[in-house]
Amino acid sequence: MGDGKDCLPAVAMVVVQVGYAGLNVVSKLAMNTGMNPFVMVAYRQVVATIFLTPLAYFYEGKTWTRVTSAIIFQIFLSSIFGATLNQLLYFLGLKYSTPTVACALSNTLPAITFIMAVPFRMETVGIRTKSGVAKVLGTVVCVGGSMLMTFYKGNLVRLPPSGIHWKYAEEVEGSGASAAAADEEKMALGAALVVLSCVAWAVWFIIQTKMSRTFASPYTSSALMCFMASFQCLAVGAAVERKISGWKVGFDIRLVASVYTGVVGSGLAFVLMSWCIQRRGPLFVSMFSPLLLVIVAVLGWAILDEKLYVGSVVGSALIVGGLYLVLWGKGQELSDQKKSTSSTVNIGGGKSNVMDEEQGQHGAIGLTPYSP
C-alpha cells in the first residue's frame, strides 16, 4: 500500500501532462476551423471560473474574510500577466506554429523565470558553486535552443505515416494546409509569441511568490484571477472579433476546445499540480514538463500528421537538456540550504523544519514550468 501511495503523485503528473497535450491538439484543431484564439481564451476563463469557484468555496471558504484590497490588487496583476497576456500570446503563437514547437518553447520558462528573478533577489547566481554554474549554463542552453527553433528550420525529418490519423483532424488540417504552407514565414512569429507568453508567465510567478506569503489560498486566488481575466479577455475578444458569428459555438470542436481548456487546462490540472506540490514540492512537478513535449510530438505525428524538422528536433533536445540543468542546479541549491540550516539551528527542531519547508516552497516555485 505504501508503495502504491508513493506512486500517486507521479501518476497524477503524467495525467496532467496528457491533459495538456490534448489541450494543445484540440486548441489547434479549433483554431484551424477559424475559431479566433481571443474568443477561445475568453471562453476558457469563463469556464475555469465556473469550475474553480465551487472548489474555492468548499476548500477555502473560511479564508475569504482575509481577502484585502492589497490582495485584490495583486490578484488583478496576476490576472493580467498570468491569464490574459500569457494565454492570449500562447494561443496566438500556437495558431501560427505547431503544438510541438509551442510546447518545446514553453519549456524555456524556468530559464526566463530565473533571469527575471535574479534582479528581485528571489534567485541567486552563485557562479562559484556547482548549482550556480548549472543554472547559468542551463539558462544559456535553453535560450539557445529556443532561438534555434525560432530561426532555423532545416531539413524535413522523414517519419513513416502512423496510420491512425483522426479522420476529423485530417479534414480540419486539410482545410488549413494551403494557408499554413503559404504562411511558413509566420512560424517565427508564432515561436516569438510563445516565448513572450513565457515572459508574462514569469512575471506572474514573481507576483504569485510574493502573494503566497500573505495569502496562501490557491483555489480562491485562482478563481478570482480567472474571474477578472474573464472580463479582460471578453473585452479584448469583443474588440478583435466583432462579428456575432465568430462567437458562436455548436456541438463541434469549438465547444470541445472551450470546455476542455477551461476544465482541464485551468481547473483539473491546477488541482492535481497543487496536490502534488503539497506532497512532493514544486521541483517534483517541474521534472515532468519535458514529458509534455514528447506526448505532443507523438500525438501531432499520429493524429495531425505534423511534420518535424531538424531545427525543431535539435532545438527541443537543447531546451530539455537546459531545463534539467536548471532544475538540477536549483535542487542542489535547496539541498545545500537545508544542510546549512540544519547545521546552524540545533535547538528547536520544529522551527528549523518550518524554515526548510518555506525555503523549498518559495525558493523553487518560480521554476515550475509553464502549463498553458
Side-chain angles (χ1 to χ4, degrees), residues 28 31-32 34-37 90-98 190:
K28 182 67 174 178
M31 287 185 287
N32 282 350
M35 187 176 191
N36 192 309
Y90 182 84
F91 281 109
L92 275 175
L94 178 61
K95 178 180 180 180
Y96 293 125
S97 61
T98 66

Side-chain angles (χ1 to χ4, degrees), residues 25-275:
V25 173
V26 170
S27 300
K28 182 67 174 178
L29 288 175
M31 287 185 287
N32 282 350
T33 66
M35 187 176 191
N36 192 309
F38 291 91
V39 173
M40 183 189 301
V41 173
Y43 283 146
R44 173 179 179 171
Q45 305 305 331
V46 173
V47 173
T49 302
I50 296 173
F51 181 81
L52 287 171
T53 300
L55 293 176
Y57 178 78
F58 181 76
Y59 289 106
E60 301 171 349
K62 295 180 180 179
T63 68
W64 287 9
T65 56
R66 293 168 41 216
V67 178
T68 63
S69 57
I71 292 174
I72 290 293
F73 179 69
Q74 289 178 324
I75 294 176
F76 174 72
L77 292 178
S78 296
S79 69
I80 293 176
F81 290 99
T84 303
L85 280 178
N86 165 49
Q87 293 179 20
L88 288 177
L89 289 169
Y90 182 84
F91 281 109
L92 275 175
L94 178 61
K95 178 180 180 180
Y96 293 125
S97 61
T98 66
T100 301
V101 170
C103 287
L105 289 173
S106 69
N107 280 326
T108 61
L109 176 63
I112 294 173
T113 305
F114 172 66
I115 293 172
M116 296 187 67
V118 169
F120 290 93
R121 297 184 178 180
M122 294 181 179
E123 292 291 338
T124 56
V125 177
I127 196 63
R128 295 182 179 180
T129 64
K130 289 182 179 180
S131 60
V133 172
K135 289 193 294 183
V136 173
L137 182 59
T139 299
V140 172
V141 172
C142 268
V143 173
S146 68
M147 292 299 100
L148 183 66
M149 291 189 70
T150 303
F151 299 110
Y152 177 71
K153 186 174 182 180
N155 297 325
L156 176 67
V157 178
R158 300 189 179 280
L159 297 173
S162 69
I164 58 171
H165 293 162
W166 183 15
K167 187 171 182 58
Y168 179 77
E170 287 183 355
E171 295 174 356
V172 172
E173 286 291 300
S175 65
S178 59
D183 293 333
E184 282 190 359
E185 64 274 9
K186 289 186 177 180
M187 184 70 74
L189 173 61
L193 289 171
V194 173
V195 173
L196 287 176
S197 76
C198 290
V199 173
W201 196 240
V203 174
W204 179 84
F205 271 127
I206 293 173
I207 298 171
Q208 193 71 14
T209 300
K210 288 183 173 293
M211 184 176 67
S212 64
R213 295 170 183 171
T214 56
F215 187 71
S217 299
Y219 296 104
T220 300
S221 60
S222 294
L224 287 173
M225 182 181 74
C226 291
F227 176 73
M228 294 178 184
S230 297
F231 290 96
Q232 297 165 12
C233 293
L234 285 171
V236 174
V240 175
E241 181 58 79
R242 300 182 180 181
K243 296 180 180 179
I244 298 297
S245 58
W247 291 83
K248 289 182 178 179
V249 293
F251 291 99
D252 53 16
I253 192 65
R254 297 189 182 193
L255 177 62
V256 172
S258 299
V259 175
Y260 188 100
T261 55
V263 174
V264 176
S266 296
L268 180 62
F270 174 81
V271 172
L272 290 177
M273 285 193 295
S274 298
W275 181 78

